[in-house]
Amino acid sequence: TTQATPPKDDTPPTAPAKLSGGAEGSRAATLAWGASKDDVGVTSYDIYQEGSRIHSVPASETKAKLTGLRPGTVYTFTVRARDASDKSSPDSNALDLTTASAPGAPASTAPTGLRTEIGKEGAEFTVDLSWDQPDTGGVIPAYQLYLNGKLTTTIVWGGTPPKGRATYRLNLADPAGTRYSVKLRAKLPDGKWGDFSAQPTIVLAD
C-alpha cells in the first residue's frame, strides 16, 4: 500500500524563535527554541552547525541534546522547521557556544561574539563584521577572514590595532541570495595563527 498523498502545502513554516542553550562540559550541548507555525503542520526541526544539518527532532520536541562535540571549540547553531512538503523555514537566530577545554589544554584563542550585518552600497553588498578579540597577552596585528572555508583576505590594521571589540567591512559583488559561511582567526603575538571563531552563515539580500 502506497503512502497517502500529503495535503497541499505551499507555505514554509515560520522560523523557530528565541534559540537558547549552553554547553555541557567539553563534548555536549543542549538547545531549546520556540515552536514554529505552519498552515498545514510542522513535521520536524533540523539543527544546523555552520550551515550543515547535524541533527533532527520530531515536531513535538522543541529542544535537543547534541553530543560528540570537540573540547575547547566554538560552535554556531541554528534551527529550521520543516513541514510535510519538505519545505524549510528561515533560520532561527544563531547561537554561539564554546565547549569546555579538556584538562591541561591551553585557553582558546578564538575570536568570540562574531556578528554580521548586510547592507547595500551601489551595486555591491556590504557585510559589516564585529567581534570580541581574544585575550592573547599582547597586541593582535592581523586577522585572516575566510568565506566558505577559503581565505578571502588578511585584515591588517592601518594604525594602532583596536582594543576590545573590532569591526571590518567586506564588499561583495555577488548576486542576491548568495550564501556564505564566515569565520576568522587572529595572528598571535608569537606570529602563529590562533583558533577559528564560530562560523555563522549569511545570505546576501536587499
Side-chain angles (χ1 to χ4, degrees), residues 7-131:
K8 186 176 180 180
D9 188 352
D10 295 325
T11 305
T14 60
K18 298 180 179 179
L19 175 62
S20 61
E24 292 190 356
S26 61
R27 295 189 178 276
T30 55
L31 306 178
W33 57 90
S36 298
K37 297 179 180 180
D38 186 70
D39 55 345
V40 175
V42 174
T43 58
S44 62
Y45 291 99
D46 300 323
I47 292 91
Y48 285 77
Q49 191 265 318
E50 299 182 358
S52 297
R53 188 170 68 186
I54 60 169
H55 190 66
S56 296
V57 296
S60 58
E61 298 287 337
T62 55
K63 59 183 179 180
K65 182 171 183 177
L66 308 176
T67 59
L69 305 182
R70 290 177 296 174
T73 302
V74 183
Y75 289 94
T76 301
F77 297 109
T78 55
V79 177
R80 299 177 197 171
R82 191 150 39 99
D83 63 19
S85 295
D86 215 28
K87 290 183 174 64
S88 292
S89 74
D91 287 331
S92 68
N93 58 293
L95 178 68
D96 292 347
L97 297 177
T98 304
T99 54
S101 297
S108 174
T109 57
T112 57
L114 177 60
R115 297 289 179 263
T116 61
E117 184 174 339
I118 309 299
K120 201 77 183 288
E121 195 174 75
E124 293 187 328
F125 286 96
T126 60
V127 183
D128 287 316
L129 307 172
S130 63
W131 65 92

